[in-house]
Amino acid sequence: MYKKRVSIIDRGNKLSFTVDNKGNKFHNQEIIQSWKMFYSEKVKRNDDEVGLRLPQFGALSAIRAHWATSNSPATIVLPTGTGKTETMYATIISERIESTLIIVPSNLLREQVFDGASKFGILDKLEMINDKVIFPTTFMYKSKVKEKKEDVLLKAIIEANIIVSTPKMINNMPPDILEKLIQKVDVVIFDEAHHIAAPEWSVVREYFKEKKLLQFTATPFRNDGKKIDGKIIFNYGLGLAQSAGYFKAIDFYPIQEFDEKKSDEEIAKIAVSLLEDDFKKGFEHVILARTKTRKRADELFEQIYSKYINLNPVIVHAGIPKAERELSMKKIKEGIAKIVVCVDMFGEGIDIPTLKIAAIHDKYKSLPITLQFIGRFARTGSKNLGNAKLVTNVAMDDLKESIEELYRQDSDWNRLLTLHSSNAINEEVKLGEFISNFDKGHAQEIDLSQIKMKISTRMFRYRNKKIYLDNWKEVLDSTRTQAFINKVDDIYIFIEEVENNVVWSDQKDIIQYDYEFYVIYFDKESGLIHLNDSDVSKGNKLIEKVFPDAWAVKGDSIYRSLDGINRLMLGTLGLKQQPSGRISFRMFAGTDIKTGISEATSSGSVKSNLFGYGFKDGNKISIGCSYKGKVWMRWVERVNFWTKWCKNIGEKVLDDTISTNNILDNSLTLEEIKEFPLGVPYKIILPETIETDNSLNKRIVLSKENREYHFFEMELRSPELVNGNLKFEMALNERIFIFEQQIHASGYNFKQIEGDELKVVVGKKTIVMTDYLYENSPEISFVQDDGTVVVIQENLMTVIKPKRNIDLSRDKLCVIDWRKYGVNIKSESQGRDRKQDSIQYATIHNIVDSSSDIIFDDDGAGEIADIVTIKVNQENRKIQFHFYHCKYSSELQPGGRVSDLYEVCGQTEKSIMWSDNAIVLVQRMIEREKARVKDYDDTRFEKGNLETLFTLKKMIKSGFETSLEISIVQPGVSISKMTDSMKQLILATDTYLKETYGIPLSCYFSN
């Protein structure tokens, strides 16, 4: 029999080794030989067997297979609780690794791994080793040693088979000893390897880059997007772990408490109640109450948990004295303390199976940490353990999209944890596979997943399939260029270091170093080469050498990339004169674009380049293109996104069925004006960024009364031309203020002509409302007799011509018999009295979909719409918003009055801004409901409540798809008496909704 002893070197560093009966240490070769002789691998395939679990055996086999062909870094994904540490120990003993360094993230985990490694964990209980095995000499490096004892430290490192430490300690190791460690170690194991992209960890990894590296983690992805470099060689999914019984089921107990003070008490109350129920079932469970700060932990312990004296509550965090902390940990492990309040002391690697009830007072806001935290509770242990239980408040939290869905009222954590973990890991695997297709050569230190490039391409046709790849060295300096070759996807990246003279000196020996960047993608299917380069000249030469006989795609075909973009608003336009004269090129911007388009359509010039913004597939986009062959967008993305974008652009450019003749004709332009145009102003709106801003640091001040209002309580409306100036109302809460905009030869200005002076507070700055409007000018839309819409902002005009040969579809027009509902068609709002003869009341009770989850009366200044309904399809993960804009009739009887449509059509067009601001929309509804309750003790909800809105907000953040429909409700319009001008106005509104966000329109009129 062999004996074991622990020798304390200095200040907590420990060396654990085995001696024979005479007290002599065993030599290293004797230790390794015993591993060979007395290790027997077993696999547990059913409950009657002992041995490695299937995921442990699978990981061990994957490591062996990987090492048979490669020494490159390898990542092993094992969910918390599946036996990661035993896999490490089995790897060391079975592969007879003479020297292993294990890097862990925390002091607590260092102690735990050291204790386990010293006796190979539970391999003896698994009957894989017997008492003849000589345990490894194991060293825990915990703190610096005195200079005079460095030789003792070095001796321990030389003797040790396993060294356990943290990145901080390795980085602080004396340089000469670190050098010896680097020489000695054969394998480095990084435990909880998702930390590896952090600076402290990456430095350690760099030290040992020539060694075999194993990276164990449950979550191989990070919130900051940094890549855990190293191929994932084994991925045992969370779903497999659950189905195999390695995880207990997770029971979710959500509460919805909007009072933060009551929230903590309610969470604690439910957690303790669950604990007491578990005691009755014979389960020896423990509650862990999690907070985000020490201060919060102290407050919770003192004010709430300390009252449960019979459960022996303890508090553990870094601010507690070490002796007290260790005593509390002992009480938890021995089952004395049944409640522990902590911050982050129970994260990675801590193995206390009795922790089964998580009282989450403050949630982790990232998916990786959430998965690890919950894994501590769900792992199986002894037979007297029940399901894991999670108690938290789901009412008020601003969480990241990746975990938002977990905290919904009806979340199934068993399904969602698997889904979120699987999706995140699969994305990491896919990105890893894409990156792994690149041959990095000597440039191992560059993480390609972190390269983000401006989205642009220059295209070349190439009919040959042969690529002369090595010819890049004829263009770029091979000694200063790092090449990344992906022959699978035909993507080639080159980063060349170059020297440039500095601009601030003529001295030639003062230079600065820079990098040029080239990415080539050869789309063999289409025969197109895509090039993104920082040096055009060298980029052209690269194509010439690597793809001989390739020719650039230029000319009008490039403008096919604009196909399918609606309402393209050009920002710049360049024209090239033909033939060239003294002025061969002209650039037009802003209000000059119209002049440029006129010239482009004449015989004297051709399009050179343009850039603008528009709408495609219901989304805003930016796009630029040049006749020289370049297409670009104002995006920055990763390389794999760029290749997909290039493929899409290439398909358009090669499509001969796309005509470029009318591209500029259909573009929108700005023109400077000196007076307002003809037509009827029917819509006025502040810039979208202001309208959708829920910020509380921007307020409107009524100076005389010293009252403040939120911006969302204000609305601009009722624009009309009076004596050549635009007069409009500013409705603030229930008060009206009158303003006027003037346009003249020297510019434009605003005046307040009625009401007490209004001011705007933005941060610490206060300005009068007229100055604010000058800097943030409203957009005013005029409609003309032929359906032309003219949009004015500041003193600039955009003309939108009506679509020809398009009729107003009768399917959009719904006839309602308003008399049947007892409606006074001159009464619009139901008000807080819920007037039953109003248009709004009749719409709510007879037109809107009664099965909607929310029916919301938003009528009033700053409204989104008079009525907002929301319907959720959880199965398809879709949320349908529907806006109803109601307007009263100007006469007692329905008729053909276009004036009855102006304002309601303007409101309809204005409300499309919410289409891509769904979260802000829901938050606006929340704020308006709170204001109504506060001011009038009344609700805006006809169906639903605030809790439902908070849940909807979380659904949207978690990825639910949103869509919008809009309806006009105007009983004063008679469908049978509609005039052409009325049809043109409705058609203009319908076209606007379609061409921007693809929103369907319906109209509820009279017969």
Side-chain angles (χ1 to χ4, degrees):
M1 289 290 291
Y2 305 121
K3 296 181 179 179
K4 199 107 167 97
R5 77 182 187 192
V6 173
S7 174
I8 306 297
I9 294 179
D10 186 38
R11 300 174 63 188
N13 297 322
K14 296 179 183 179
L15 182 69
S16 173
F17 54 91
T18 308
V19 297
D20 62 18
N21 290 330
K22 296 180 180 180
N24 299 317
K25 289 183 182 179
F26 287 94
H27 296 296
N28 193 53
Q29 290 305 315
E30 292 178 283
I31 296 172
I32 300 300
Q33 183 65 20
S34 79
W35 297 357
K36 179 181 178 181
M37 298 290 294
F38 305 114
Y39 170 79
S40 175
E41 203 154 279
K42 294 185 177 183
V43 182
K44 178 182 174 67
R45 290 184 171 86
N46 57 58
D47 292 340
D48 297 329
E49 295 180 323
V50 294
L52 294 174
R53 294 172 173 178
L54 284 176
Q56 293 172 317
F57 179 68
L60 183 57
S61 301
I63 292 168
R64 290 167 178 160
H66 177 71
W67 280 348
T69 59
S70 173
N71 284 336
S72 63
T75 299
I76 299 94
V77 181
L78 286 171
T80 302
T82 52
K84 187 175 42 171
T85 50
E86 262 60 47
T87 306
M88 296 178 195
Y89 305 149
T91 301
I92 293 170
I93 189 172
S94 69
E95 300 308 295
R96 298 190 286 282
I97 302 168
E98 291 190 23
S99 180
T100 304
L101 172 63
I102 302 177
I103 300 294
V104 298
S106 67
N107 296 334
L108 204 56
L109 193 52
R110 178 172 52 199
E111 295 272 2
Q112 187 171 299
V113 171
F114 170 76
D115 289 341
S118 298
K119 54 183 183 299
F120 284 136
I122 61 168
L123 294 186
D124 58 338
K125 294 181 180 178
L126 301 180
E127 299 179 9
M128 292 171 60
I129 57 176
N130 59 34
D131 58 7
K132 294 182 180 180
V133 160
I134 304 173
F135 289 134
T137 301
T138 308
F139 175 55
M140 180 176 70
Y141 183 41
K142 184 176 183 179
S143 59
K144 285 185 177 182
V145 297
K146 296 177 181 178
E147 189 173 340
K148 62 183 180 181
K149 288 192 176 183
E150 284 186 1
D151 58 331
V152 181
L153 171 61
L154 180 59
K155 186 173 184 293
I157 288 173
I158 296 298
E159 290 182 357
N161 301 114
I162 300 175
I163 301 162
V164 184
S165 194
T166 59
K168 181 178 180 180
M169 290 308 303
I170 299 297
N171 284 317
N172 291 334
M173 186 175 277
D176 55 335
I177 296 181
L178 175 61
E179 185 62 32
K180 295 290 185 181
L181 176 67
I182 293 171
Q183 291 174 9
K184 172 181 165 54
V185 165
D186 300 312
V187 175
V188 180
I189 296 176
F190 291 93
D191 193 10
E192 310 298 349
H194 47 276
H195 293 288
I196 215 159
E200 200 171 51
W201 285 67
S202 61
V203 169
V204 174
R205 191 178 186 273
E206 182 66 16
Y207 291 149
F208 298 94
K209 63 183 178 182
E210 303 300 327
K211 307 293 183 176
K212 291 180 178 178
L213 304 182
L214 294 179
Q215 299 166 167
F216 285 83
T217 182
T219 53
F221 47 89
R222 292 170 58 92
N223 291 318
D224 58 12
K226 292 182 179 178
K227 183 81 171 62
I228 302 172
D229 193 24
K231 182 180 179 182
I232 296 176
I233 62 170
F234 185 74
N235 175 21
Y236 193 76
L238 194 57
L240 287 172
Q242 285 182 316
S243 61
Y246 300 132
F247 278 2
K248 290 282 188 181
I250 303 168
D251 300 331
F252 187 36
Y253 296 87
I255 67 169
Q256 283 201 324
E257 177 55 65
F258 291 87
D259 186 331
E260 293 184 27
K261 294 180 180 179
K262 294 179 181 178
S263 173
D264 290 330
E265 293 178 356
E266 189 65 18
I267 290 172
K269 178 181 175 183
I270 292 175
V272 170
S273 174
L274 292 170
L275 181 66
E276 291 172 345
D277 287 343
D278 285 348
F279 288 164
K280 294 175 183 176
K281 297 173 185 175
F283 298 138
E284 295 298 318
H285 290 172
V286 175
I287 292 173
L288 185 145
R290 192 266 164 180
T291 68
K292 62 184 177 182
T293 65
R294 298 178 193 175
K295 182 180 178 183
R296 278 273 289 151
D298 291 337
E299 290 173 352
L300 277 175
F301 184 78
E302 293 169 9
Q303 298 172 13
I304 297 176
Y305 286 103
S306 62
K307 298 175 184 177
Y308 297 99
I309 300 173
N310 60 316
L311 298 174
N312 299 313
V314 296
I315 181 170
V316 178
H317 61 64
I320 302 293
K322 182 180 177 182
E324 185 180 336
R325 202 164 63 230
E326 290 178 348
L327 178 61
S328 295
M329 289 294 296
K330 183 180 179 184
K331 288 181 179 179
I332 298 165
K333 291 179 179 180
E334 293 177 354
I336 298 170
K338 296 298 183 182
I339 298 176
V340 54
V341 180
C342 73
V343 184
D344 290 323
M345 294 297 291
F346 293 89
E348 299 157 328
I350 304 307
D351 186 10
I352 305 178
T354 54
L355 289 174
K356 278 290 172 284
I357 301 175
I360 303 182
H361 293 267
D362 300 317
K363 303 175 186 68
Y364 289 105
K365 295 193 176 183
S366 75
L367 180 60
I369 300 175
T370 299
L371 290 172
Q372 294 219 357
F373 178 77
I374 298 304
R376 297 290 145 214
F377 293 83
R379 65 194 307 175
T380 53
S382 60
K383 291 184 179 179
N384 64 327
L385 294 177
N387 289 350
K389 297 174 179 64
L390 173 65
V391 186
T392 194
N393 187 4
V394 298
M396 298 179 295
D397 270 301
D398 184 17
L399 300 173
K400 293 186 178 180
E401 293 179 10
S402 57
I403 63 167
E404 188 77 44
E405 188 181 10
L406 292 172
Y407 291 103
R408 277 190 15 232
Q409 177 74 21
D410 57 349
S411 290
D412 179 353
W413 274 68
N414 302 287
R415 179 183 66 83
L416 290 177
L417 273 179
T418 301
L419 180 65
H420 282 281
S421 174
S422 175
N423 288 346
I425 294 173
N426 286 342
E427 284 299 313
E428 197 67 25
V429 170
K430 283 165 61 179
L431 180 59
E433 289 174 350
F434 174 77
I435 298 301
S436 69
N437 288 335
F438 286 88
D439 177 7
K440 286 187 173 184
H442 67 284
Q444 296 296 327
E445 70 276 10
I446 293 182
D447 181 0
L448 289 181
S449 69
Q450 295 304 302
I451 291 178
K452 293 185 178 181
M453 53 197 290
K454 292 182 179 179
I455 297 299
S456 71
T457 180
R458 290 194 293 125
M459 290 166 278
F460 302 81
R461 296 297 299 270
Y462 190 56
R463 299 198 184 281
N464 197 345
K465 296 294 183 183
K466 190 170 182 181
I467 305 171
Y468 300 86
L469 198 53
D470 285 342
N471 288 358
W472 70 264
K473 297 173 184 176
E474 298 179 25
V475 181
L476 307 176
D477 184 345
S478 59
T479 65
R480 306 182 74 170
T481 300
Q482 295 180 333
F484 306 88
I485 308 302
N486 180 346
K487 292 182 179 180
V488 176
D489 303 301
D490 292 301
I491 304 168
Y492 317 108
I493 300 174
F494 305 96
I495 302 173
E496 182 185 31
E497 184 185 52
V498 294
E499 296 177 1
N500 294 317
N501 293 327
V502 296
V503 296
W504 41 267
S505 175
D506 294 330
Q507 193 171 338
K508 292 184 178 180
D509 57 351
I510 299 180
I511 58 173
Q512 61 185 4
Y513 291 94
D514 205 347
Y515 292 89
E516 300 291 359
F517 180 68
Y518 308 89
V519 187
I520 300 171
Y521 165 47
F522 181 27
D523 183 358
K524 287 181 178 176
E525 187 178 341
S526 65
L528 269 184
I529 301 163
H530 294 269
L531 172 65
N532 185 304
D533 52 14
S534 56
D535 184 320
V536 173
S537 176
K538 282 188 179 180
N540 289 336
K541 289 177 183 177
L542 268 177
I543 299 298
E544 180 183 330
K545 294 294 184 180
V546 178
F547 303 92
D549 304 322
W551 69 96
V553 179
K554 295 183 179 182
D556 265 11
S557 63
I558 294 298
Y559 298 106
R560 291 172 181 161
S561 60
L562 302 174
D563 181 61
I565 298 176
N566 296 319
R567 295 183 179 252
L568 178 62
M569 171 65 80
L570 295 181
T572 60
L573 173 65
L575 297 182
K576 185 175 178 63
Q577 196 72 24
Q578 294 290 349
S580 298
R582 291 181 62 191
I583 300 176
S584 61
F585 178 81
R586 297 181 67 188
M587 175 65 77
F588 300 87
T591 57
D592 284 337
I593 293 291
K594 186 172 183 179
T595 304
I597 290 177
S598 299
E599 291 194 18
T601 55
S602 67
S603 59
S605 59
V606 296
K607 298 183 293 292
S608 171
N609 58 70
L610 59 84
F611 182 83
Y613 297 86
F615 293 84
K616 181 173 173 58
D617 300 327
N619 296 300
K620 292 179 182 177
I621 67 165
S622 66
I623 190 165
C625 46
S626 164
Y627 82 101
K628 290 185 177 181
K630 185 173 182 178
V631 182
W632 68 94
M633 288 192 175
R634 286 188 176 168
W635 293 345
V636 175
E637 282 286 355
R638 288 187 170 90
V639 177
N640 53 340
F641 175 92
W642 176 76
T643 57
K644 293 177 184 177
W645 176 82
C646 286
K647 196 170 185 67
N648 177 262
I649 291 295
E651 288 173 357
K652 286 186 181 182
V653 169
L654 296 179
D655 188 348
D656 293 333
T657 65
I658 299 174
S659 172
T660 63
N661 293 334
N662 300 320
I663 284 177
L664 293 187
D665 291 344
N666 296 328
S667 300
L668 304 180
T669 61
L670 291 172
E671 179 181 355
E672 193 170 349
I673 58 175
K674 297 180 180 178
E675 61 182 2
F676 284 103
L678 297 174
V680 178
Y682 70 98
K683 179 179 72 172
I684 181 168
I685 179 175
L686 283 170
E688 182 178 316
T689 53
I690 296 172
E691 288 277 6
T692 58
D693 185 9
N694 285 331
S695 173
L696 299 179
N697 71 341
K698 186 189 299 179
R699 306 178 302 280
I700 301 173
V701 177
L702 184 56
S703 301
K704 189 173 181 180
E705 299 177 12
N706 195 27
R707 291 190 61 186
E708 294 186 350
Y709 299 87
H710 298 307
F711 252 70
F712 63 75
E713 297 177 277
M714 179 267 285
E715 178 182 20
L716 303 186
R717 64 190 187 194
S718 305
E720 62 173 327
L721 284 177
V722 178
N723 298 324
N725 297 322
L726 186 89
K727 181 181 174 184
F728 59 92
E729 296 179 356
M730 179 177 290
L732 187 59
N733 207 356
E734 296 182 351
R735 304 178 64 169
I736 303 297
F737 303 83
I738 309 297
F739 287 80
E740 181 180 80
Q741 180 180 357
Q742 300 174 346
I743 293 180
H744 38 75
S746 58
Y748 67 99
N749 64 277
F750 290 87
K751 290 173 59 179
Q752 182 173 348
I753 57 179
E754 284 187 29
D756 296 330
E757 184 183 54
L758 294 180
K759 293 184 178 180
V760 178
V761 177
V762 182
K764 297 181 180 180
K765 185 179 179 182
T766 301
I767 59 175
V768 295
M769 178 62 77
T770 50
D771 289 343
Y772 186 81
L773 292 173
Y774 184 86
E775 295 295 331
N776 303 276
S777 293
E779 179 185 287
I780 306 105
S781 296
F782 293 72
V783 63
Q784 298 179 341
D785 291 341
D786 64 349
T788 297
V789 174
V790 181
V791 180
I792 305 296
Q793 191 167 30
E794 299 178 354
N795 59 337
L796 302 174
M797 175 176 73
T798 301
V799 178
I800 304 169
K801 294 292 185 182
K803 300 290 184 182
R804 300 303 178 190
N805 303 317
I806 299 178
D807 293 325
L808 181 62
S809 172
R810 295 283 297 188
D811 294 341
K812 297 185 178 299
L813 309 180
C814 307
V815 177
I816 301 293
D817 183 359
W818 299 97
R819 290 174 299 181
K820 182 172 71 174
Y821 304 130
V823 174
N824 173 5
I825 66 172
K826 295 195 70 174
S827 176
E828 177 185 323
S829 303
Q830 67 171 358
R832 295 191 299 276
D833 295 333
R834 309 301 196 269
K835 292 189 297 182
Q836 296 187 17
D837 67 344
S838 65
I839 299 166
Q840 188 185 21
Y841 184 92
T843 303
I844 289 170
H845 294 280
N846 300 288
I847 294 178
V848 305
D849 185 352
S850 59
S851 66
S852 299
D853 296 278
I854 284 180
I855 301 175
F856 193 79
D857 172 3
D858 197 41
D859 180 52
E863 67 187 32
I864 297 163
D866 292 281
I867 304 161
V868 178
T869 68
I870 308 175
K871 193 171 186 177
V872 181
N873 184 326
Q874 294 207 34
E875 183 177 346
N876 296 325
R877 292 175 57 83
K878 293 184 177 180
I879 300 175
Q880 174 70 55
F881 291 87
H882 199 136
F883 297 166
Y884 295 84
H885 293 282
C886 304
K887 191 62 183 173
Y888 63 87
S889 171
S890 60
E891 302 290 344
L892 288 172
Q893 298 299 323
R897 299 175 294 272
V898 70
S899 59
D900 279 341
L901 283 173
Y902 287 137
E903 187 171 352
V904 72
C905 284
Q907 291 170 335
T908 299
E909 292 182 17
K910 172 182 175 179
S911 63
I912 71 162
M913 74 177 81
W914 298 107
S915 184
D916 59 355
N917 287 288
I919 292 177
V920 183
L921 187 161
V922 174
Q923 186 60 39
R924 176 67 56 86
M925 293 171 70
I926 291 169
E927 296 297 335
R928 286 174 67 80
E929 167 65 6
K930 286 181 177 178
R932 171 68 70 87
V933 173
K934 179 182 177 182
D935 293 341
Y936 303 106
D937 193 25
D938 186 32
T939 182
R940 290 183 177 274
F941 287 101
E942 297 289 330
K943 184 178 181 181
N945 50 42
L946 270 178
E947 289 86 344
T948 312
L949 282 182
F950 276 105
T951 301
L952 280 167
K953 189 176 173 184
K954 293 180 179 182
M955 288 180 179
I956 296 167
K957 284 186 176 181
S958 70
F960 272 58
E961 180 185 340
T962 62
S963 59
L964 173 62
E965 295 180 19
I966 302 181
S967 293
I968 291 173
V969 182
Q970 171 51 294
V973 172
S974 167
I975 294 177
S976 60
K977 297 178 182 178
M978 283 180 65
T979 63
D980 287 342
S981 59
M982 296 171 75
K983 293 177 182 177
Q984 284 286 358
L985 181 55
I986 296 171
L987 189 58
T989 299
D990 181 46
T991 302
Y992 182 64
L993 268 59
K994 277 183 185 173
E995 291 186 347
T996 51
Y997 295 105
I999 300 169
L1001 174 69
S1002 56
C1003 302
Y1004 293 90
F1005 296 151
S1006 296
N1007 188 18

